[in-house]
Amino acid sequence: MDDAARYRWIAAHILPCEPELRGWLRRRLRALNDSDVDDLVQEAFARIWAADFSAIRNGRAYLYATVRHLLAEYARHQRIVPIELLGEIDSLSIISDEPGPDRRVGARQELERLGAIVAALPVQCRRVFELRKFEGLSHRDVAQRMGLSEKTVENHLTRALARIAEALAASTPSGEVEKSEPSAKRADDTERGTD
């Protein structure tokens, strides 16, 4: 990545977090004065500049983690460390946008629910959807692979998306899908090839 791209990335992902970080440091680490906070932020920026940006998924979380590591290094290298600083470093709860365990479980349940909805699609409709959305094939590639016209592929994909949206909207809180009569009839029509 060239310097201009690095500047743009930092300006977009790191700089907007600086005021929040400074406030957070002042509130959480009262043992640091303003010049210590300035030095800490400057060193964090220098380390982030040298980082591999392609490996960073969340700039804000990365910034906070970098600062935490710097604080730990600072504490290790000082002969005399205020006891408050050690306690504050240990108790830092880094704010992150990364999903917690509850969000991961919810996402997994949603994915399973979506998988069940896709599995319930008519065979050709499901295959078109899987090839297009899961394997990333173009309409033309799907049509060639399945021996269909591109218009038929488009129709199947439109039906699949409509049925998935309908099934998600009709889902009960427990995650079970309620099947309505009109959907069942349309599924039968599609299976008979009424395109």
Side-chain angles (χ1 to χ4, degrees):
M1 180 179 283
D2 66 352
D3 286 354
R6 286 186 174 279
Y7 283 121
R8 285 191 302 273
W9 191 91
I10 287 176
H13 297 94
I14 303 297
L15 287 180
C17 304
E18 183 182 357
E20 174 191 355
L21 174 66
R22 286 178 178 277
W24 182 79
L25 285 168
R26 285 186 186 102
R27 283 189 311 275
R28 298 288 299 206
L29 302 172
R30 293 190 178 104
L32 297 178
N33 61 36
D34 286 342
S35 66
D36 291 333
V37 170
D38 291 342
D39 291 344
L40 192 59
V41 170
Q42 183 178 359
E43 180 62 26
F45 282 3
R47 294 214 181 165
I48 290 171
W49 176 265
D52 176 14
F53 294 161
S54 66
I56 301 173
R57 291 191 311 247
N58 182 328
R60 182 172 173 267
Y62 192 83
L63 174 63
Y64 276 81
T66 301
V67 168
R68 184 172 190 269
H69 290 294
L70 286 169
L71 287 168
E73 285 178 20
Y74 172 78
R76 277 194 305 270
H77 290 97
Q78 296 302 314
R79 291 180 181 227
I80 300 172
V81 178
I83 196 72
E84 304 88 32
L85 182 58
L86 288 177
E88 290 168 348
I89 290 172
D90 288 340
S91 70
L92 289 180
S93 56
I94 302 300
I95 301 167
S96 174
D97 291 334
E98 295 296 315
D102 55 332
R103 287 179 53 198
R104 284 192 202 112
V105 168
R108 191 174 313 123
Q109 289 171 343
E110 286 293 314
L111 187 58
E112 289 170 1
R113 196 167 115 215
L114 179 61
I117 292 168
V118 170
L121 291 172
V123 176
Q124 273 197 331
C125 196
R126 181 182 68 239
R127 188 69 182 134
V128 166
F129 180 81
E130 290 171 341
L131 289 172
R132 181 73 180 107
K133 296 298 183 180
F134 296 161
E135 294 185 27
L137 298 179
S138 67
H139 281 72
R140 175 176 289 149
D141 292 339
V142 173
Q144 288 174 349
R145 186 175 285 188
M146 293 184 66
L148 303 170
S149 71
E150 286 185 53
K151 183 65 176 170
T152 302
V153 167
E154 187 176 319
N155 289 339
H156 280 305
L157 189 57
T158 301
R159 284 189 187 100
L161 292 171
R163 290 194 181 132
I164 290 168
E166 181 182 311
L168 288 172
S171 293
T172 61
S174 66
E176 295 179 21
V177 177
E178 298 172 356
K179 193 164 191 172
S180 64
E181 189 59 37
S183 296
K185 182 184 181 316
R186 281 198 308 269
D188 291 341
D189 291 344
T190 304
E191 282 300 308
R192 285 192 293 256
T194 57
D195 290 355

